[in-house]
């Protein structure tokens, strides 16, 4: 008999086939939305005189009852059928059979996924903001913590930990913006598209969209049931963020290695050994790094699934949806634990004391000769290059440069050798003054970093408010739906 | 000696190593931008009093000369080095050596890629608009061309070719919007970030950005040289579009098969056989479909390359850039030839004449019973289901339904059997009236399709103007740069 | 206290961190193997005099007890720690603490994965054989079922369903062979490699391998703990098969479309509609096709995870393992349901009756002119091409060729026109005789197909025997381990 | 007229379409094989009496002429058509038109790809062997070079560079074996399959296979033209190797960082700076690492292209082939330059002198207490753990352990405190003796490493001989073909 309930859709009688093709496992996320969609649809049908208010009210009451007690059963094909079955069980076929009047599983599932997804997107955004805050916190403590900046994993120039962290903040910022772009296109309603050709009943698609908190329609009905680009662009945005998060984790794993030793990871985010307490395995960061690959994989899987499909609806779609929830869950968990990790990182001081790192400021010594003594740029570089080579050959560091040495070396390249002051040399080669001098917009100098910090500090709170207000907007729509439904059912 | 020219960067003396690590092959796209970056940088250095106007002018003249005559040589590592070498060759080391004062290859390459990429993005957008126009053209001719709409590759409901094409238009529209989002984040200037820590010279990053037509800065200098998310998000947007384009091609390949026979592909876009003229192999569409996989692959490759990298610059970046040009070129060519194909497609008429397709309107017969005779929805479906089964068993089509038959069948389900008029049956089961009745927003009815068409018709021209105006804006910036550079050099 | 039990490995005290880094969820597959590894290790330690027999016996008894009652708890990091904890709980720290003497979690986990994987590989092989049998069954019924062979989704030449199915058999055969190659490299023991440097205790790695049913060692200890290529090559082999299975499903989906209509899918493997009984949505095949993308994704995810990792062990490895079980499970389920589907497919007869398909034999008409009348190959093609065009223009089929028509057309190309017999024409253009004539090795003629069938028919049984015998070999090893362990514990 | 030459295949007359669908760019690799296939086919046709010897001889002569002078032109669709056109141009249509008698582009292209691929596979194998040799060379010099073995990028236990390199050797060995498995399945002939259904002419497929040096047939003709699994399994094997090569490069990049400092990369394989000579950017290794992603991408692209395709031939296939050549070329170049890099690496001595690394042998101190003083395993670990903590707190290293200290600490855990000899402590904590003691099969001890080296040393030469002999075997077949062809043409 169950086949009669289902818009005439007959599924298999073989258990193994039902289990194989069932989407129930991943439908849990959709359940409450499917119920709300059905409610909004019924309200609209009544408002447009397509079904009788009396019938509508009965269905609405049955749907409200479902909300609290429904659990997913194993032997049903999907959540849409489950809801329909339960409603008919409750109010009978003649009334309950109208639940699917002027709609179809095809538009309903697309709508439900979008509703669940917009919630997930807001959750992810909140987690990004959370990590931004942790980054800001750590940066504020480390505006004077000098570290080597690396290129090719080789030390290149001094910078500060705060400067680095602000870069990570801005990376997260762009990811947030990308998700905001995605959100706009996700939050559009396909309802009313029917199986693919809308319906011959005079429905009001805009009204349903409004009651469900959407900010617009996917207008063309073929597009509405056939397109899953909103799913791909979510996964794409998460994949790009996955690459960024993985690189951030990679930096911290390397910097916490015994050899680099720039930072200490908090004990509870590593595994250690009672016999080798010096060894802290960065397990949390490794798991974060690894899981980011799964998010990228989810995008690829969904793309590959969809790529070969003709229009409009194919059951393959059903297999793509769980990849969305998988990627969202991984990202949310990873951002959470990453925030906790970052908040508890301790920077090591004095990392610039390693002798070889003294040479990181060699370029600045050359720049000083250009700036203060008018030496041509390339000549200045040659002088300093020769100087550095000499020092290294003698096992010395850049701290051993003296005015005399500089005079002697410069004599080879200039007609009149340079007489540079000790203080000028000290200033040029000191990492702290290197950083102070790099005060151009976006640079590592304390002033500039604090300027950037002061602007970024207020952003997380602003974003939290925006996220809250969007959640509120959606809840308000559902509240209106609730009160209309209640007003109906109270009259029955 | 070449090592002295290169900001002190020493590359290998082994031919095989230089060849292996060289990026020259894909640097061609960057050459003109690298020259302009150098010019803007020099203008700014002069304006800010960092180098003498006289020296700046000489360098600017050398750079202008380069513009026309420079060709990429095999034995050079990259385009940045080539330009510097040529300038020094032309104006000598003391003056020309200043070309790299206060900048680095790291910020320069990121800037050049973004400049080349914004051009490509505009080109791709133009091609999308081109395909949109072709789609509109074909749609306008086919607002009354009825075709079966398919789900699961099985005919489901009647629709029109125009309705389907408008769905494709909207799909393209979202792709266009995504690229516009991407464009905003691409068109930001990293210049002035130096190797990673800006510079101690008092440069003006905003000025350089302005002269190069950027609409903002990538502010943090570590972020500026270390991030390639702009590259990934371009490839991601192209990958999503690749899935859409592939699905569009798939539909046309299937529909042009002898068995489906909905459309005729133009001869010159297929390969045929002199002995089997009925066989038209849809070669262009097959190649389009296949190449879309490469675009997806380019995204995956670039993501995988970047995912494991620590900050800031690593030479791995260099290998990711060509994937960008590859994907852009494939997409541009594919969209072009796809537009040409679509423009020349002929729809077959009368495809609905196949007997089995008559049953596509069965649901509408049931809907009519609900609407006009107040039959409960599920009961109406049962009546029609029983009817259809009977007809099929007797080898008949839905066209064979008569009032008598309907009366007989309905008697099994209703206390008083239905007396439906012939005209009502005819209207319900006629595909043309099915479509006329589906006039809800976004539906296939001619009126609704024409309404949607009339709005979309004007979009391509609007987008063309926007693209042109953005190109103009960039050119204007470069014109200003040209006139400043000329005013300098004319004074030398 | 738990930290003392764990080889001195200290994990976090934060619940969220333990949950985040735990592998318990996917460790279920490993549990019985981890217990067996521990048992074999202890037996070897006793045999080599490294621990006392008395102590070894106690541990073995504790491990045997575990076998039946152990369940995975939420609060433990992984299965290795769980087993150690339980043993120590049972026999005390002084004795039980020796469980990890001369071994490490690093070699143990690699060994356990390989043991679980070899079982899965045998299961997958069995499912391939199962599908091969289904293919053979369907082929045997259809050696004379003529279908169009398609290229570019366009009908090209007649063939038979059996001929096509034998191609699928051979595709599966190569997949089976690939998995056999993989199996050889999987079934190698890493045990004894320790954390990465073996151990200073005089262990016998070969003995442990033998007791666990391995056919060799991963000799180098760094290689043994650091390599996961066995995991990648399993996923790669499954990915290749996934492409093949997806293509097979694609063929059946297209062929079961109303338009192609070559086959009927069994009702219980499709979803149908009570109102549109002619529409059978090929849901099982669609889900199979979609899930094959996930297998490909699993390979990509695991590759991307591993690609950036330095040697030797990194926790990222832990995240790659579940992809193996995921891919294996998907493949096993899909092959099972695919076999059931294939077994129940019905071929439609008379599909060659469609008028346009008559032209598929045109090339054979030309070939006949070459063979019987010595017409040059190209000239024969021109004659037939002209003929076909003429027929099509007149709305006729190839069945309308007459000797007169052929004579008339040939006169344009030959000095003396051809006088061909009616019978010769009939034979050439008849699909059945087309097929009979294509009797070259590997061709569709009934004789040749039956020859191929007769050879392939026996393979499934042979493979089943081989799989059984390999399972038996492994069980025998474990039986020996059991009896040694029992003989020890019975003495305690 | 060109269409008459092409087996009646009519291609487009639009330049842009021909360019878009042309495969010429990647057909260069196929040219000589296509000529040989044509020659073998003609020889077989003559031998089987299907064409006259006289005609065959003329065609063979034309084909021989082509071999030397043919160049690929832009305006042709593919290499198959080019060869046919040229032959017909040379010997006329009546004779030359027979070139395509009893064969098709579908079987010919599959055959040509396999012939080109088997050559590439042998080239790749040779490069693997080359890298194995470089690894052996470096290992032989470093059997006593102690380095920390890392897990989680944290130092874990001492090992030697040679031990590590032997692990890499074995990794390469498995990659070689995988390619050998692939080679067997690649080197099978599809020729004679025709378009998909063989031919009605009595050809001899085995003979053609033999003349072309194949070791068997792809028997079923549908399988022969429809399957591209040989392409996927080549790309899969290369992808797995790509992961391995990338990880090897990653190790060397990290180890050559200033902070890790285990090895010195040769100057000519890095880029350095005249002003910062201490900075050696590992550019070659970075490019290797990056390009490995492209190989993985090639596999994904080809898989995604093929996954959705119905049987048999689709033009999409054409787009998959270049990915094969791309991946092969990248791998060959990378392995070559990697070998050169490895050969020139210098290991740093005394890397174990860093104070923190002294603790790496702590576990061995505990093992010694178990072995020599019968301390229970876990108790020994607790004693040493307490000891290590005490030393670290006091800023000391493991070298500071004395018998007195050990006695004092052990007293907390044992009823009678331990009296250990100085020599025993020294031996236990000395990295060199740690390594000597780890002499289990596969371990780092010098004896064991030399044993493993002595076996592996001979393998490269053995493999080179096998590769040469396989090349010889193929050449011999072609030589036979040449001499038959010559014997024919000399008679004309």
């Amino acid at each position: 008999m169950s086949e009669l309930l289902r818009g005439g859709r007959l599924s298999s009688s073989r258990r193994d086939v039902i289990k194989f093709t069932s989407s129930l496992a991943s439908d849990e996320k959709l359940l409450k939305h499917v119920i709300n969609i059905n409610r909004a649809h019924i309200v609209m049908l009544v408002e447009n005189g397509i079904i009788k208010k009396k019938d509508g009210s009965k269905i609405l009451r049955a749907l409200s009852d479902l909300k609290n007690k429904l659990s997913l059963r194993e032997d049903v094909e999907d959540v849409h059928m489950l809801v329909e079955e339960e409603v008919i069980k409750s109010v009978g076929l003649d009334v309950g059979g109208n639940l699917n009047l002027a709609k179809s599983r095809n538009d309903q599932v697309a709508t439900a996924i979008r509703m669940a997804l917009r919630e997930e997107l807001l959750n992810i955004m909140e987690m990004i903001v959370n990590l931004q805050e942790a980054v800001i916190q750590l940066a504020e403590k480390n505006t004077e913590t000098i570290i080597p900046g690396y290129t090719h994993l080789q030390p290149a120039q001094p910078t500060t930990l705060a400067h680095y962290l602000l870069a990570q903040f801005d990376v997260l910022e762009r990811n947030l913006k990308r998700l905001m772009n995605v959100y706009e296109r996700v939050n559009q309603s396909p309802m009313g598209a029917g199986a693919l050709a809308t319906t011959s009943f005079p429905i009001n698609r805009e009204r349903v969209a409004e009651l469900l908190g959407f900010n617009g329609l996917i207008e063309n009905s073929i597009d509405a049931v056939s397109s899953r680009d909103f799913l791909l662009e979510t996964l794409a945005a998460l994949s790009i963020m996955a690459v960024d998060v993985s690189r951030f984790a990679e930096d911290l794993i390397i910097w916490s290695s015994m050899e680099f030793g720039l930072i200490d990871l908090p004990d509870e985010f590593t595994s250690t050994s009672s016999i080798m307490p010096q060894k802290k395995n960065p397990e949390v960061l490794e798991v974060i790094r690894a899981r980011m690959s799964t998010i990228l994989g989810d995008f690829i899987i969904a793309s590959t699934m969809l790529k070969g499909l003709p229009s409009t609806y194919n059951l393959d779609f059903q297999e793509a949806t769980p990849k969305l929830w998988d990627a969202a869950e991984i990202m949310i968990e990873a951002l959470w634990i990453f925030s906790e990790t970052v908040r508890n990182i301790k920077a090591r001081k004095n990392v610039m004391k390693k002798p070889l790192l003294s040479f990181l400021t060699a370029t600045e010594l050359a720049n000083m000769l250009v700036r203060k003594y008018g030496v041509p740029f390339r000549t200045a570089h040659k002088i300093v290059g020769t100087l550095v080579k000499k020092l290294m050959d003698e096992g010395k560091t850049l701290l051993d440069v003296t005015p005399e040495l500089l005079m002697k070396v410069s004599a080879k390249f200039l007609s009149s050798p340079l007489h540079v002051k000790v203080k000028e040399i000290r200033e040029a080669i000191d990492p702290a003054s290197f950083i102070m001098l790099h005060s151009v917009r976006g640079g590592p100098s304390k002033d500039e970093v604090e300027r950037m910090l002061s602007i970024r500090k207020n952003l997380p709170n602003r974003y939290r408010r925006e996220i809250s207000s969007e959640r509120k907007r959606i809840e308000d729509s559902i509240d209106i739906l609730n009160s209309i439904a209640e007003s109906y059912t109270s009259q029955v």
Side-chain angles (χ1 to χ4, degrees), chain A residues 322-392:
Chain A
K323 303 302 163 193
L324 207 49
W325 313 139
D326 183 57
E329 189 187 329
I330 291 174
M331 187 55 92
I332 288 170
E333 285 184 8
L335 290 177
W336 162 257
I337 206 106
F338 204 172
S339 306
E340 290 296 290
T341 308
V342 167
R343 261 184 242 283
N344 291 290
I345 283 173
K346 297 265 177 304
R348 295 217 186 142
K349 308 294 173 185
N350 299 326
V351 295
M352 295 300 287
K353 295 286 183 226
K354 292 187 194 171
L356 275 174
L357 292 179
S358 76
F359 292 107
L360 292 199
T361 51
T363 50
E364 199 47 33
L365 186 59
N367 283 348
M368 186 269 287
L369 300 183
V370 174
R371 211 159 32 223
K372 301 219 171 140
Y373 293 86
V375 181
F377 183 67
R378 282 295 161 205
T379 314
H381 268 238
K382 278 193 219 165
I383 292 169
V384 175
T386 310
L387 190 71
V388 167
K389 183 146 190 358
K390 197 174 154 60
L391 290 165
M392 292 188 83

Side-chain angles (χ1 to χ4, degrees), chain A residues 44-197:
Chain A
M44 180 275 290
L45 289 183
V46 170
E47 287 177 354
N48 281 31
I50 299 168
I51 63 170
K52 289 179 215 135
K53 189 163 184 181
K54 198 185 59 181
D55 290 355
S57 301
K58 284 185 195 160
I59 296 177
L60 287 171
R61 181 173 292 169
L63 286 166
S64 288
D65 291 351
L66 269 189
K67 254 181 115 164
N68 304 310
K69 63 168 204 198
L70 197 61
S71 68
L72 300 175
R73 285 162 18 219
E74 279 253 322
D75 61 330
V76 192
E77 196 183 330
D78 61 28
V79 67
H80 312 284
M81 182 185 157
L82 181 72
V83 167
E84 193 182 1
E85 265 192 19
E86 294 292 328
V87 166
I88 289 174
K89 211 184 287 173
S90 154
V91 299
L93 185 59
D94 273 5
V95 170
N98 286 314
L99 191 64
N100 258 4
L101 185 75
K103 74 177 167 66
S104 141
R105 201 166 65 148
N106 294 359
D107 55 349
Q108 184 165 300
V109 69
T111 308
I113 298 171
R114 286 168 180 268
M115 289 175 76
L117 179 53
R118 68 185 175 189
E119 284 186 7
E120 287 291 30
L121 285 172
L122 294 172
N123 293 339
I124 298 168
M125 287 179 202
E126 195 170 20
M127 281 297 146
I128 297 176
V129 173
N130 209 35
L131 180 51
Q132 283 187 317
E133 276 174 342
V135 163
I136 289 278
Q137 263 180 35
L138 186 60
E140 286 183 319
K141 288 184 237 160
N142 289 289
T143 55
E144 297 182 90
T145 306
I146 305 178
I147 58 169
Y150 294 89
T151 57
H152 310 270
L153 206 58
Q154 300 278 337
Q157 288 184 325
T159 183
T160 68
L161 188 54
H163 187 222
Y164 167 80
L165 289 167
L166 281 175
Q168 292 296 356
F169 183 97
D170 289 0
V171 166
L172 290 168
E173 188 77 2
R174 286 194 299 277
N175 281 300
L176 187 62
K177 293 286 161 58
R178 269 191 285 270
L179 286 175
M180 286 172 175
N181 291 160
V182 169
Y183 186 89
E184 289 311 305
R185 279 181 291 264
V186 166
N187 197 22
Q188 308 276 340
S189 172
M191 269 313 286
L196 68 87

Side-chain angles (χ1 to χ4, degrees), chain A residues 260-280:
Chain A
F260 274 76
L262 300 186
I263 56 169
D264 279 311
L265 294 178
D267 279 3
E268 61 273 32
F269 292 82
T270 60
S271 72
T272 51
S273 153
S274 64
I275 202 170
M276 292 165 67
Q278 83 289 356
K279 190 172 194 292
K280 289 207 223 169

Side-chain angles (χ1 to χ4, degrees), chain A residues 26 29 31 137 178 208 268 319 343 347 369 455 488:
Chain A
S26 88
K29 269 210 154 63
L31 181 56
Q137 263 180 35
R178 269 191 285 270
V208 173
E268 61 273 32
E319 299 296 310
R343 261 184 242 283
L369 300 183
I455 292 167
Y488 282 20

